[in-house]
Amino acid sequence: MSLTRDDMLNELELLPVWQQRNVSKPAENQVIPQTATEHAFVIEATPPIKSVEAMPALVVEESSIETAVAATENLITEEPGSEKTLTYDRPATIMKMDWSSLQACVPECTACSLAATRIQTVFGVGDPNADWLIIGEAPGAEEDRKGEPFVGQAGKLLDNMLAAIQLKRGSNVYIANVLKCRPPENRDPHGEEVLQCDPFLKRQVELIKPKLILALGKFAAQSLLASDNTIASMRGKLHDYHGVPVIVTYHPAYLLRNLPDKAKAWEDLCMARKTMANLQSGELPPSI
Ligand code: URA
C-alpha cells in the first residue's frame, strides 16, 4: 500500500501538523532526535504547514505506520493553557537507539548539571561486541581531557590487571563508566546524575551483550546493583545486571592507595576469568 504523508498523518490522527516550538535552541534534557517524535512540540490551531522541511517532527518516510505509532508511545502530553505540549520519554527514546545514535547522542546530553562543567563526555572504549564489559565510576580530569575512560594512573593499573588475566583494552573488552561526564573536583556522583545517565549505560549493555560485567569499586557496584552494601560484602559473588552476570572488585584508584588489597582484587580477577570460561563454554553460572 502506498500512502502519502498526509494520508499517514490522517491515519494516525496527527493532523493538524505539529510545529516545532523552539527550533534554534534545543530544550534542556533533549537528546539528538532520532525519530519524528523526540522534540517538544506545540500543537497550534494554525493552517497546516506547506513545506515538508518545516515539519521535521512527523517525518515517517521510511517507517511503517506501525513504527510511527510505536514511536508515539514515548510521548507524554501536558496541557498548559490552551496549548498542548508534547514532550518525550527520554529513557524510552534512548532504549531504542542503535550504537551510532547512542554515540552521537551522549556528547549532546545536557540532562544534568555536569554538562556545564565537563570538557567532553566519555562514552567508552573498546570492542562493542566484547564478552567482557568493565564498568568504572566516572571520568576523572585526564579522561575528561582525552575523552577516553581510564587513561590516568588508575587506567594504567587497570590495564595491568587486565593483562594479568590475558586481556587487553579493546580486544574482546569494552570499558565504560556509570557516568559519562566528570563530576567537578572528582567529587562523588550525585543521585540525579546517575539517574539521568543510567539509560545510556543500560543501552550500552543491551547493545554490547557482554557475557560478564566487572564492576570496579563501590560506586559502580552499588549503582549497577541498586544496593548500598559494602564492597567487601559484594565481592566473591555473582550478581546480576539485567540478566548479565556481574562480579565486583576494587577500583584501581583505591588499589593504588591500598596496596594490600591487590591480593583480594587478584582473587576477584581469577573468579572472573573462571566464570567467563564457564560462560564461554555454555555453562551457566550456578547463581544466575
Ligand atoms: N575512574 C573511573 O572510574 N573511570 C575512569 O574512566 C577513570 C577513573
Side-chain angles (χ1 to χ4, degrees), residues 1-8 11 65:
M1 173 174 60
S2 145
L3 291 177
T4 66
R5 170 186 307 282
D6 280 355
D7 290 337
M8 280 197 261
E11 282 287 319
I65 288 179

Side-chain angles (χ1 to χ4, degrees), residues 21-284:
R21 192 174 40 172
N22 185 353
V23 178
S24 56
K25 189 169 179 294
E28 279 281 299
N29 297 359
Q30 272 192 276
V31 293
I32 286 185
Q34 299 302 313
T35 69
T37 52
E38 291 168 17
H39 297 276
F41 294 97
V42 178
I43 295 184
E44 291 176 349
T46 49
I49 298 164
K50 290 181 206 104
S51 101
V52 168
E53 290 69 32
M55 31 181 270
L58 292 174
V59 176
V60 281
E61 291 152 353
E62 289 169 18
S63 16
S64 65
I65 288 179
E66 286 87 337
T67 309
V69 170
T72 63
E73 284 165 11
N74 296 343
L75 291 171
I76 299 164
T77 310
E78 301 155 29
E79 289 192 41
S82 58
E83 286 181 339
K84 248 189 193 168
T85 303
L86 295 180
T87 54
Y88 70 99
D89 180 343
R90 180 176 174 272
T93 305
I94 292 170
M95 294 314 283
K96 288 182 183 151
M97 289 180 178
D98 62 15
W99 190 256
S100 55
S101 305
L102 201 59
Q103 274 184 314
C105 170
V106 166
E108 302 299 321
C109 179
T110 55
C112 80
S113 60
L114 297 183
T117 51
R118 72 182 178 221
I119 296 173
Q120 59 189 308
T121 55
V122 179
F123 184 78
V125 71
D127 173 1
N129 299 307
D131 285 345
W132 291 86
L133 176 58
I134 317 289
I135 301 182
E137 176 175 327
E142 192 90 351
E143 289 78 17
D144 190 31
R145 267 194 297 276
K146 296 209 172 130
E148 183 174 331
F150 285 101
V151 287
Q153 282 307 312
K156 287 198 184 104
L157 178 54
L158 175 60
D159 287 342
N160 290 339
M161 290 164 73
L162 293 176
I165 51 170
Q166 289 80 51
L167 292 175
K168 202 168 159 228
R169 178 185 290 247
S171 172
N172 204 20
V173 175
Y174 196 87
I175 304 175
N177 284 308
V178 172
L179 290 192
K180 308 300 181 219
C181 297
R182 180 193 180 206
E185 313 301 326
N186 296 346
R187 64 154 167 77
D188 284 346
H190 293 163
E192 176 61 15
E193 295 155 4
V194 178
L195 196 73
Q196 296 295 340
C197 231
D198 179 61
F200 292 140
L201 183 61
K202 228 186 242 161
R203 190 62 183 150
Q204 283 181 305
V205 174
E206 272 196 1
L207 291 168
I208 295 170
K209 299 188 185 63
K211 285 196 159 53
L212 183 64
I213 293 173
L214 187 62
L216 301 178
K218 181 175 121 182
F219 177 83
Q222 290 183 340
S223 304
L224 286 176
L225 305 175
S227 157
D228 53 10
N229 288 338
T230 62
I231 196 144
S233 69
M234 288 190 273
R235 287 184 52 243
K237 296 174 190 150
L238 266 188
H239 304 269
D240 172 84
Y241 178 78
H242 299 286
V244 182
V246 178
I247 287 176
V248 170
T249 192
Y250 293 105
H251 194 285
Y254 166 87
L255 292 173
L256 288 172
R257 301 188 304 270
N258 298 273
L259 293 180
D261 278 337
K262 272 191 178 175
K264 293 185 193 160
W266 172 240
E267 285 170 18
D268 301 333
L269 291 177
C270 291
M271 178 187 171
R273 184 173 51 181
K274 187 159 189 316
T275 305
M276 179 60 85
N278 289 341
L279 289 163
Q280 285 172 335
S281 69
E283 244 179 78
L284 277 179

